[in-house]
Amino acid sequence: MLNKVLVANRGEIAVRIVRACRDLGIGSVVAYSEADRNTLAVRLADESICIGPAAPSKSYLHPPALISAALITGCDAVHPGYGFLSENPYFAEACAQCNLVFIGPEPEPIRLMGDKSIGRQTMNAAGVPTVPGSEGELSSIDEAISLAREIGYPVLLKPSAGGGGRGMRVARDESELQRAYPTARAEAEGAFGRGDLILEKYLPSVRHVEIQVLADHHGNAIHLGERDCSSQRRHQKIIEEAPSPIVNAELRAKMGEDAVRGIQAIGYRNAGTLEFLMDEQGNYYFIEMNTRIQVEHPVTELITGIDLVKWQLLVASGERLTLEQKDVRIRGHAVECRINAEDPERDFLPSVGEIELFVPPGGPGVRVDTHLYSGYKLPGSYDSLMAKIITWGDDRNEALDRMRRALNECILEGSVKSTIPFQLALIDDPAFRSGNISIHYVGEFMQKWKEREAVVA
Ligand code: ADP
């Protein structure tokens, strides 16, 4: 078993990892930047160590600072969380070279899945359906045009190295594609340091459905069913749920088998997620794989009773998966709201300041993963996620009713704005309640919400 883990991350996920370490009797050391000196994970961990200034490039994104922090404090492993260096194959490799266990897959599967073009090709070869589109990276605009003629408009240009929903462009006809291609290349170059693009058929009214997988170092691999993340704003998830309202047991088993075959083809170990788009007929198409724990992992934990972060630590320790596919049983329904420090009234403008009073919701079926406490000052340098409120119910309606109660109960006083008012309106919208929504639903709802505000004003 691992002895001591360096938590190479911040915010709520750092707290989550510290808790999993404690449950397993593993020591934890939180690496923090100067801006995070007072963060909750630092208070809760066994030890903590400063790794540099607030700027992520000098702390959470700086491998030498993290690796030396792990070595100085006598850690034998590093948990990268999500974001930052979690999907960086060089960091995984550097950890291994310094005799530190990287809690995640090997560098090679990270590298393969970190590139959307290679990811598509690899999954295709393993028999996992992908969105119709380019075989590899586009070599020229002419190739993009002839491919688009073949598969039909609309098409989507995506940075091959992309992430976080950034830099994607839809083209509805050839002239739009001609205009979009150079801009998309320049944007990708600016955001990811690489201008390479892939082209996919733009699927008009699909859902985002992803499969959680878990594999050990002894050849065992299982899936833990799906999460539905169709509620997105500008391709960023804001509400996630499990199971998906449109996936039945048969479809779940089929997707799960595909996902497990896909990860076995790349020698994948630890927890990971394969993301798919799904149409109304239940056809699904792989879009990308995240080779790390995801923000929305708690909804899977609540419906399966399986602690994913604990399993990440066990697998990294070399333990065998004692769970078999037949042990994964789904019970009830879970929903997660990402509570961001953003002002929904001002187009989700990021908000910073002090949390004067924070009282999290509770009661039956409510879990809150957060690093907030009363008197905490949100540093401006990082992403806006303040808390995740997750509710469970016997069925979807009960989970959503409990979410309404939890959001209403949550006391968050101070100058910081949150997404709660928007999410409260969203979960009671009849279209959302019906479960029959696509990835465009939140954008459309937002329009209605703004107009309603205008009428009230
Ligand atoms: P990123 O890695 O930047 O998050 P993804 O490939 O995961 O990019 O896509 C993010 C979101 O963009 C998806 O959840 C979906 O809403 C939308 N999207 C991606 N590919 C397509 C497509 N081919 N057609 C329609 N929407 C898409």
Side-chain angles (χ1 to χ4, degrees), residues 344-383:
E345 305 280 353
R346 297 175 64 200
D347 208 20
F348 293 82
L349 192 73
S351 171
V352 286
E354 183 175 335
I355 307 288
E356 282 162 24
L357 180 66
F358 173 58
V359 184
V366 178
R367 163 174 163 182
V368 181
D369 281 17
T370 183
H371 57 297
L372 294 192
Y373 56 85
S374 299
Y376 177 66
K377 285 197 188 66
L378 284 177
S381 335
Y382 308 111
D383 92 19

Side-chain angles (χ1 to χ4, degrees), residues 116 120 131-132 154-168 170 192 198-210 229-230 232 234-237 275-277 285-290 292 438-440:
K116 288 195 205 298
R120 279 170 58 82
V131 184
V155 293
L156 183 65
L157 289 169
K158 271 189 195 180
S160 199
R166 285 186 299 162
M168 292 189 282
V170 184
F192 308 106
I198 60 168
L199 184 132
E200 282 179 1
K201 174 115 185 132
Y202 180 73
L203 303 174
S205 75
V206 281
R207 301 181 73 113
H208 174 117
V209 178
E210 58 188 34
C229 312
S230 302
Q232 305 178 351
R234 298 198 180 142
H235 305 303
Q236 304 253 27
K237 301 160 187 172
E275 298 190 332
F276 297 89
L277 296 178
Y285 308 92
F286 170 84
I287 46 171
E288 69 159 349
M289 178 169 186
N290 291 141
R292 51 166 167 84
S438 80
I439 51 175
H440 305 295

Side-chain angles (χ1 to χ4, degrees), residues 95-309:
C95 286
Q97 279 169 354
C98 296
N99 286 325
L100 293 164
V101 175
F102 176 82
I103 301 173
E106 308 294 312
E108 186 58 12
I110 303 181
R111 193 184 62 76
L112 291 175
M113 295 298 115
D115 183 300
K116 288 195 205 298
S117 144
I118 303 176
R120 279 170 58 82
Q121 286 172 301
T122 314
M123 288 300 154
N124 233 329
V128 181
T130 54
V131 184
S134 49
E135 261 298 311
E137 276 149 12
L138 295 168
S139 56
S140 65
I141 183 153
D142 294 336
E143 188 191 342
I145 289 173
S146 72
L147 187 61
R149 279 186 193 153
E150 208 178 288
I151 61 175
Y153 287 91
V155 293
L156 183 65
L157 289 169
K158 271 189 195 180
S160 199
R166 285 186 299 162
M168 292 189 282
R169 296 209 153 225
V170 184
R172 286 180 179 76
D173 54 40
E174 200 158 308
S175 67
E176 271 191 18
L177 182 57
Q178 252 153 353
R179 279 198 303 275
Y181 186 85
T183 331
R185 274 198 82 91
E187 271 178 15
E189 179 77 48
F192 308 106
R194 264 180 58 199
D196 303 310
L197 300 175
I198 60 168
L199 184 132
E200 282 179 1
K201 174 115 185 132
Y202 180 73
L203 303 174
S205 75
V206 281
R207 301 181 73 113
H208 174 117
V209 178
E210 58 188 34
I211 300 279
Q212 175 72 53
V213 289
L214 189 58
D216 69 13
H217 291 267
H218 306 278
N220 304 304
I222 58 170
H223 71 86
L224 283 83
E226 80 285 358
R227 292 184 286 263
D228 194 312
C229 312
S230 302
S231 299
Q232 305 178 351
R233 191 188 145 263
R234 298 198 180 142
H235 305 303
Q236 304 253 27
K237 301 160 187 172
I238 67 165
I239 298 185
E240 300 99 344
E241 58 185 297
S244 165
I246 60 156
V247 174
N248 59 24
E250 196 187 334
L251 185 53
R252 177 172 309 123
K254 186 161 168 274
M255 288 181 89
E257 277 163 30
D258 277 355
V260 168
R261 203 172 53 253
I263 64 162
Q264 277 167 338
I266 55 168
Y268 194 87
R269 316 271 176 263
N270 219 293
T273 299
L274 287 91
E275 298 190 332
F276 297 89
L277 296 178
M278 183 180 281
D279 67 20
E280 280 155 5
Q281 288 74 45
N283 299 307
Y284 55 90
Y285 308 92
F286 170 84
I287 46 171
E288 69 159 349
M289 178 169 186
N290 291 141
T291 54
R292 51 166 167 84
I293 193 76
Q294 282 191 292
V295 176
E296 59 271 25
H297 75 273
V299 290
T300 300
E301 296 187 323
L302 291 191
I303 60 160
T304 60
I306 296 170
D307 183 329
L308 282 163
V309 182

